[in-house]
Amino acid sequence: MAVFVLSLVLLLSSFSAIPFTYADSGMIGVNYGRIADNLPAPEKVVELLKTQGINRVKLYDTEKTVLTALANSGIKVVVSLPNENLASAAADQSYTDTWVQENIKKYIPATDIEAIAVGNEVFVDPRNTTTYLVPAMKNVQSSLVKFNLDKSIKISSPIALSALASSYPPSAGSFKPELIEPVIKPMLDLIRKTSSHLMVNAYPFFAYAANADKISLDYALFKDNAGNVDSGNGLKYNSLLDAQIDAVFAAMSAVGFNDVKLVVTETGWPSAGDENEIGAGSANAASYNGGLVKRVLTGNGTPLKPKEPLNVYLFALFNENQKTGPTSERNYGLFYPNENKVYDVSLSGKSTPVNDNKEKVVPVKPSHVGQTWCVANGKTTKEKLQEGLDYACGEGGADCRPIQPGATCYNPESLEAHASYAFNSYYQKNARGVGTCNFGGAAYVVSQPPKYGKCEFPTEH
């Protein structure tokens, strides 16, 4: 992972700080989601971001402790007005005046807020908030103007690819007809007038998992592949993400907004998933995110917009243990809550090695690729750990003989080490099934072999 850290620091440090207009070589940011009960304090997260050379972050709210921690960090921030606030924001500009004053104006310039995401994937929000979106965006913009913040802070709203009626081939990209007049056109008009970018959440993983028999995994992971030629315009695509982005560009062009720029506000690949989530895994996640970063930093645009650099926010900074849905939802993080990396990402795309002696560094492929273990969350309470340990070794049927006094895994004699062994035994015994590594939030899955003294953790039963 040292190559990843050093390369990312060197490459990202070259980005210029232009509010929401991004440098020519493309921009990499990261989403800092917090649907978890075991994450580091915001101050520690900011230090983590800085040590990784990450200088742009997107938040899903305007949490006071997070915005305060980001002050004077040199990190540019995108904040969000959550979907549940859209109705109030649409109904009354005095609401957005207060919201901007309390959640934006109060923190700048110390916290470098460069954009506001008004809502998130609103068109698929089960609360039916679509009709509130454009009025809310207009009121937020008016409030920014009122406080003289509209030149430095842009507004937009992240859309999911499900907003498209057609995305294949990319040249046939089109928005769903029922969205065009009521919301797409007025939203794009506002984005154009304010010189902002359309925010798009794009996940090649979803397309691949649903069509693994038709889509090449290499095509989805930025690996060498034969590519696909768009039958509509003859352009050749070598990555699924490029094709998805160009489908959105084509859809915008079809409704008269060919000049609006785009930023990918979410994209990533899960390091673990359920059995039916084809392609989920740490090796593929490393390939996707590593390939994406190298792709972005080339400075090249998509086949349809070759002069428009790619700007993306990786999803996500941490695995989030309280997210609902399939296993993949809790496994998009680059980091575990203990700040260890979930997987190695090779960014050795440069011909000159980083080390001074110019010797070729040959990476050793770890033998544990694709394997996972279950370990204790050391930040939870002792009571939770003990309760989980008791269950695993009792009715859970885990093999806890190795952690008995005098046995091979008794040392180190700590609750966390013993609980980790028991949790992993239970997890492996149950075929690493969904929900078998939780224990009320006292455990989580890792893809690196756990190390507690000389104890070796089994990978199967």
Side-chain angles (χ1 to χ4, degrees), residues 159-227:
I159 66 168
L161 288 184
S162 57
L164 300 181
S166 173
S167 61
Y168 183 83
S171 60
S174 61
F175 290 111
K176 289 180 175 175
E178 66 272 21
L179 293 174
I180 292 174
E181 294 301 331
V183 61
I184 294 292
K185 281 186 174 180
M187 177 176 68
L188 290 176
D189 185 56
L190 181 60
I191 288 172
R192 172 194 274 163
K193 286 178 178 175
T194 56
S195 302
S196 188
H197 296 56
L198 176 64
M199 295 175 168
V200 178
N201 296 344
Y203 287 90
F205 168 70
F206 294 146
Y208 173 75
N211 303 278
D213 56 331
K214 301 182 183 71
I215 297 175
S216 155
L217 182 59
D218 288 347
Y219 181 63
L221 296 178
F222 299 99
K223 292 183 176 181
D224 290 339
N225 64 90

Side-chain angles (χ1 to χ4, degrees), residues 29-36 39-46 48-49 54 56-61 63 65-67 69-70 75 77-78 80 265-266 313-318 320:
V30 66
N31 284 273
Y32 173 18
R34 302 187 340 276
I35 305 178
L39 298 184
E43 294 78 12
K44 291 193 70 178
V45 174
V46 171
L48 177 65
L49 292 169
I54 298 171
R56 274 190 165 89
V57 67
K58 177 172 161 285
L59 311 175
Y60 290 89
D61 51 25
E63 167 60 40
T65 58
V66 176
L67 290 177
L70 284 161
I75 297 170
V77 185
V78 177
S80 301
T265 35
E266 284 185 23
Y313 286 82
L314 299 176
F315 186 86
L317 187 57
F318 294 109
E320 298 172 72

Side-chain angles (χ1 to χ4, degrees), residues 25-341:
S25 60
M27 178 283 298
I28 295 285
V30 66
N31 284 273
Y32 173 18
R34 302 187 340 276
I35 305 178
D37 61 3
N38 56 358
L39 298 184
E43 294 78 12
K44 291 193 70 178
V45 174
V46 171
E47 287 307 308
L48 177 65
L49 292 169
K50 289 163 75 172
T51 60
Q52 302 303 315
I54 298 171
N55 60 6
R56 274 190 165 89
V57 67
K58 177 172 161 285
L59 311 175
Y60 290 89
D61 51 25
T62 52
E63 167 60 40
K64 177 181 178 181
T65 58
V66 176
L67 290 177
T68 301
L70 284 161
N72 304 306
S73 65
I75 297 170
K76 291 188 169 296
V77 185
V78 177
V79 299
S80 301
L81 177 83
N83 289 352
E84 54 265 31
N85 297 73
L86 289 175
S88 299
D92 188 356
Q93 198 199 315
S94 65
Y95 177 90
T96 57
D97 284 350
T98 301
W99 187 86
V100 168
Q101 193 163 23
E102 290 296 312
N103 297 283
I104 307 294
K105 193 170 185 293
K106 181 188 291 187
Y107 297 99
I108 58 173
T111 301
D112 192 354
I113 299 172
E114 64 172 344
I116 300 169
V118 180
N120 184 57
E121 299 187 353
V122 173
F123 308 148
V124 292
D125 183 2
R127 286 167 289 223
N128 297 316
T129 49
T130 298
T131 56
Y132 304 127
L133 178 58
V134 173
M137 290 177 71
K138 287 181 175 178
N139 280 345
V140 171
Q141 177 65 18
S142 296
S143 296
L144 290 175
V145 171
K146 180 174 182 177
F147 294 111
N148 199 29
L149 298 173
D150 55 303
K151 298 295 188 292
S152 59
I153 299 175
K154 302 300 181 183
I155 64 162
S156 187
S157 184
I159 66 168
L161 288 184
S162 57
L164 300 181
S166 173
S167 61
Y168 183 83
S171 60
S174 61
F175 290 111
K176 289 180 175 175
E178 66 272 21
L179 293 174
I180 292 174
E181 294 301 331
V183 61
I184 294 292
K185 281 186 174 180
M187 177 176 68
L188 290 176
D189 185 56
L190 181 60
I191 288 172
R192 172 194 274 163
K193 286 178 178 175
T194 56
S195 302
S196 188
H197 296 56
L198 176 64
M199 295 175 168
V200 178
N201 296 344
Y203 287 90
F205 168 70
F206 294 146
Y208 173 75
N211 303 278
D213 56 331
K214 301 182 183 71
I215 297 175
S216 155
L217 182 59
D218 288 347
Y219 181 63
L221 296 178
F222 299 99
K223 292 183 176 181
D224 290 339
N225 64 90
N228 289 294
V229 175
D230 187 317
S231 57
N233 57 21
L235 293 175
K236 184 177 180 181
Y237 288 84
N238 292 105
S239 84
L240 181 51
L241 181 65
D242 278 32
Q244 290 180 333
I245 293 170
D246 274 359
V248 179
F249 275 131
M252 287 197 289
S253 181
V255 293
F257 291 89
N258 187 51
D259 56 327
V260 172
K261 297 182 186 298
L262 179 155
V263 55
V264 178
T265 35
E266 284 185 23
T267 190
W269 198 282
S271 61
D274 296 327
E275 283 187 18
N276 64 336
E277 294 187 288
I278 301 170
S282 56
N284 287 344
S287 293
Y288 181 80
N289 283 323
L292 173 61
V293 172
K294 286 189 281 189
R295 168 75 184 83
V296 168
L297 295 176
T298 62
N300 298 328
T302 62
L304 194 60
K305 299 271 189 175
K307 294 183 179 178
E308 294 286 341
L310 285 181
N311 300 305
V312 306
Y313 286 82
L314 299 176
F315 186 86
L317 187 57
F318 294 109
N319 282 345
E320 298 172 72
N321 68 343
Q322 293 186 316
K323 295 198 76 172
T324 57
T327 297
S328 61
E329 285 294 308
R330 293 173 289 284
N331 289 279
Y332 274 93
L334 297 170
F335 294 88
Y336 292 113
N338 64 5
E339 300 182 46
N340 287 338
K341 298 171 185 69

Side-chain angles (χ1 to χ4, degrees), residues 326-409:
T327 297
S328 61
E329 285 294 308
R330 293 173 289 284
N331 289 279
Y332 274 93
L334 297 170
F335 294 88
Y336 292 113
N338 64 5
E339 300 182 46
N340 287 338
K341 298 171 185 69
V342 176
Y343 46 77
D344 290 348
V345 176
S346 173
L347 294 181
S348 53
K350 288 181 172 289
S351 56
T352 305
V354 174
N355 52 321
D356 292 331
N357 60 19
K358 302 296 187 286
E359 290 178 5
K360 185 176 180 182
V361 179
V362 181
V364 178
K365 185 177 181 181
S367 60
H368 57 265
V369 167
Q371 297 176 346
T372 54
W373 293 262
C374 182
V375 298
N377 171 16
K379 294 184 179 180
T380 195
T381 63
K382 289 183 178 180
E383 289 74 19
K384 266 195 174 183
L385 286 179
Q386 189 63 56
E387 185 180 331
L389 174 63
D390 293 343
Y391 172 81
C393 293
E395 60 185 285
D399 180 9
C400 295
R401 290 172 297 178
I403 54 175
Q404 301 306 309
T408 54
C409 290

